[in-house]
Amino acid sequence: MQLKAEVIGELKTKFRGEILLPGEPGYDDARKIWNGMFDRKPAIIARCVGTSDVIQSVNFARDNKLLIAVKGGGHNSAGTAVCDDGMMIDLSLMRRVNVDPQKKTVRVDGGCLLGDVDYETQLHGLAVSAGIVSHTGVGGLTTGGGFGWLSRKHGLSIDNLLSAQVVTASGELVTGSAEENRDLFWGICGGGGNFGIVTSFEFRCAEIGNDVYSGFIVKKFEDAKKYMQFHREYVRSLPEEMTIWTVVRHAPPLPFLPKDVHGKMVVVLAFVWLGGASEGEKLLQPIRDFSKQEGEAMGMHPWVVWNSIFDGLLVHGARNYWKSHHLKDLSDPCIDQILEYAGKMPSEECEVFIPHMEGAPSRVDGDGTAFAHRKTPFLLNVHTRWQDAKDDEKCIAWARELHGATQEFAQGVYVNFLSEEGEDRIKAAYTPKVWDRLVKTKDKYDPDNLFRMNQNIKPSL
Ligand SMILES: Cc1cc2nc3c(=O)[nH]c(=O)nc-3n(C[C@H](O)[C@H](O)[C@H](O)COP(=O)(O)OP(=O)(O)OC[C@H]3O[C@@H](n4cnc5c(N)ncnc54)[C@H](O)[C@@H]3O)c2cc1C
């Protein structure tokens, strides 16, 4: 699509950030997102530096009938941060973080990355419950739900969201909170980017100090079934201060693993304990004792170090395809399916992630926010990652097959882990009651479906 020069010129007079058009310096960098599968070319990229820029962009796209793609951290594996032809509203220059150490709250711009928030809150020994990779965006993560090492104890990101400033489809700036525009606030807590663009989030922080007892215990793949049978019961007996996630993958060349283990299939248990080291070690002892280990690294680590420990394995640019669902349990046949497919991973960068989810999130009502599936104990994320486009078919087929083989053990899906999978799968992220309410909220705030480059909730009108 070719936009008229005078129309763009007029936008530029009202815009403080950068307007980039195809072929201009910076355009190709700005349209890049985390998942290398997407090479889309927007007609125009609006790199916003403030709320006024976001409003101008929304009005411009609406008035010129342009599809909008909103880029927060650019991590959504479905590639929704970038579109062909339309307007990419890029928030990645909006990264202010203001902590209120007295109130233990933080206000975070809509384009912040998780690492931005960690660095600033940690000055005061605080942290926001969010994800485990520091280059992920707050915007997409929070509007989908958001969970990580702190969520079992402190709730999902949305459970700690106090208010949000939102630019709606009509270009209005409104506040959503428990007191104001409650329906909109409810919608952005799990309904993704369907209702507007959040220019700032206000979170409650958790007091975690600067160091957390954390680390890895690496088990042999040969013992995986036996270990996972033990794990499924044991982790459920642990206090909420302990979070342990299972990762089945080829061993990366970590310094604490013997060289002959590098590249071998292993079961990695990554954990965080929000308490003293000796107590944490005691709780982990049964895991260490249960079966032989390939290696371990446990100790007090600065939060900002631990909460970026997976960054290097998940750098930008590789090809990625995710399939996911919540698991009702880790029954024997479910473990069998996971391990059978794990044994034939199509690339050394693939992982099967199984976070343990129960705790504070499960105590919030299923329709208290738009994040509906809160009671399931585990989540399965088939995280397929490779480098060469010629392997696309093989890798995607593997993910789909593993996902299909575990479908009977599943209940619902996390909207942020969906690929492009169609409306039935989007509905699976919600209960029918929550879906109906989301549609009503969409009807009110975005009846023309301006914000549709997302896991889309279509208006009924
Ligand atoms: C390496 C990696 C690690 C991850 N780890 C975790 C994890 O530990 N926990 C977890 O819960 N999730 C995790 N995720 C999933 C993550 O929550 C989603 O990919 C999320 O969409 C990323 O947000 P983003 O802003 O980076 O994405 P983007 O691709 O920029 O945005 C995705 C969508 O979110 C919406 N959006 C983004 N910003 C805003 C905003 N400011 N206002 C309104 N809508 C907005 C838009 O609809 C956009 O299309 C991870 C993803 C990756 C790639």
Side-chain angles (χ1 to χ4, degrees):
M1 168 182 280
Q2 192 76 34
L3 287 161
K4 288 206 178 99
E6 63 264 30
V7 180
I8 293 167
E10 200 199 323
L11 172 65
K12 282 185 178 170
T13 63
K14 305 177 206 159
F15 199 85
R16 229 163 23 108
E18 265 182 299
I19 297 292
L20 296 172
L21 301 175
E24 291 185 350
Y27 171 86
D28 282 329
D29 272 345
R31 71 185 177 84
K32 273 192 196 130
I33 58 168
W34 175 79
N35 188 351
M37 295 281 276
F38 297 95
D39 181 26
R40 294 182 178 146
K41 298 186 175 72
I44 179 167
I45 301 178
R47 305 201 73 205
C48 305
V49 295
T51 302
S52 167
D53 283 355
V54 176
I55 292 173
Q56 298 305 335
S57 307
V58 168
N59 289 340
F60 180 87
R62 192 191 53 243
D63 296 347
N64 289 283
K65 302 200 170 2
L66 292 174
L67 174 65
I68 290 176
V70 177
K71 181 181 180 184
H75 271 46
N76 197 276
S77 61
T80 54
V82 64
C83 55
D84 276 324
D85 294 331
M87 183 181 218
M88 179 192 231
I89 301 182
D90 177 2
L91 308 177
S92 62
L93 300 176
M94 292 173 57
R95 289 173 60 177
R96 282 171 317 170
V97 179
N98 285 311
V99 185
D100 184 330
Q102 265 75 46
K103 288 197 199 148
K104 305 194 187 343
T105 60
V106 61
R107 190 166 275 287
V108 170
D109 272 358
C112 278
L113 305 184
L114 303 187
D116 300 331
V117 184
D118 276 341
Y119 268 90
E120 297 301 326
T121 51
Q122 276 291 280
L123 272 177
H124 311 281
L126 303 173
V128 172
S129 175
I132 68 162
V133 171
S134 78
H135 46 71
T136 312
V138 173
L141 178 131
T142 304
T143 53
F147 66 89
W149 300 119
L150 305 182
S151 44
R152 247 167 64 72
K153 173 73 183 161
H154 295 284
L156 304 175
S157 305
I158 50 173
D159 302 335
N160 293 284
L161 187 62
L162 298 172
S163 70
Q165 299 278 305
V166 187
V167 175
T168 62
S170 60
E172 254 181 287
L173 178 66
V174 297
T175 300
S177 69
E179 288 80 38
E180 281 179 83
N181 300 302
R182 289 175 62 171
D183 49 357
L184 175 66
F185 188 62
W186 177 89
I188 60 167
C189 288
N194 272 287
F195 309 105
I197 301 181
V198 181
T199 52
S200 98
F201 297 89
E202 185 196 3
F203 292 103
R204 182 187 311 115
C205 299
E207 289 179 83
I208 65 162
N210 292 133
D211 296 321
V212 289
Y213 187 68
S214 48
F216 299 110
I217 299 174
V218 181
K219 296 285 184 188
K220 289 179 177 296
F221 186 64
E222 302 85 275
D223 299 331
K225 178 165 183 184
K226 206 167 48 156
Y227 175 73
M228 282 166 80
Q229 287 170 325
F230 159 76
H231 176 94
R232 70 182 172 208
E233 307 297 335
Y234 187 63
V235 291
R236 298 186 76 176
S237 73
L238 292 170
E240 288 169 5
E241 286 79 2
M242 180 70 89
T243 298
I244 308 179
W245 290 12
T246 309
V247 187
V248 186
R249 59 164 297 140
H250 291 87
L254 296 168
F256 67 88
L257 289 175
K259 281 222 166 52
D260 62 338
V261 176
H262 298 176
K264 261 176 65 176
M265 280 299 290
V266 288
V267 178
V268 181
L269 306 165
F271 69 87
V272 166
W273 164 245
L274 301 171
S278 58
E279 208 184 336
E281 202 178 329
K282 227 181 271 166
L283 289 169
L284 292 164
Q285 197 56 43
I287 295 180
R288 296 162 103 184
D289 292 341
F290 185 79
S291 62
K292 282 204 180 120
Q293 293 178 193
E294 300 282 23
E296 64 176 38
M298 299 156 76
M300 296 301 288
H301 300 112
W303 173 249
V304 289
V305 172
W306 178 258
N307 209 30
S308 52
I309 206 89
F310 282 98
D311 283 18
L313 288 176
L314 296 165
V315 293
H316 295 68
R319 303 178 80 76
N320 290 273
Y321 183 76
W322 287 13
K323 288 291 282 183
S324 183
H325 36 217
H326 299 282
L327 294 176
K328 286 180 278 195
D329 61 29
L330 261 177
S331 62
D332 285 358
C334 179
I335 295 174
D336 285 341
Q337 293 297 342
I338 292 171
L339 295 178
E340 186 190 327
Y341 281 92
K344 40 188 187 188
M345 271 181 186
S347 100
E348 291 216 350
E349 291 183 77
C350 297
E351 307 172 318
V352 178
F353 250 81
I354 311 174
H356 176 216
M357 304 287 291
E358 286 164 313
S362 335
R363 289 193 288 275
V364 175
D365 277 354
D367 57 359
T369 65
F371 189 100
H373 298 290
R374 289 172 170 271
K375 305 277 186 233
T376 43
F378 297 101
L379 182 150
L380 176 73
N381 196 12
V382 184
H383 179 193
T384 322
R385 186 176 164 89
W386 67 103
Q387 297 294 332
D388 197 328
K390 75 173 170 28
D391 294 328
D392 285 3
E393 209 178 306
K394 173 178 79 170
C395 291
I396 291 171
W398 174 79
R400 288 184 174 156
E401 283 166 26
L402 167 41
H403 185 258
T406 50
Q407 186 65 55
E408 63 179 290
F409 314 109
Q411 187 188 323
V413 59
Y414 176 32
V415 73
N416 274 351
F417 287 173
L418 281 172
S419 293
E420 263 181 77
E421 301 179 45
E423 193 176 76
D424 282 350
R425 287 290 293 155
I426 303 171
K427 282 186 176 167
Y430 307 104
T431 56
K433 188 172 167 196
V434 166
W435 180 260
D436 285 350
R437 197 165 156 191
L438 284 166
V439 173
K440 283 198 183 85
T441 312
K442 186 76 174 176
D443 285 348
K444 179 168 171 190
Y445 287 97
D446 186 16
D448 296 323
N449 209 3
L450 187 66
F451 301 111
R452 60 184 179 279
M453 190 75 201
N454 44 38
Q455 299 297 348
N456 195 222
I457 298 156
K458 290 195 188 78
S460 67
L461 305 169

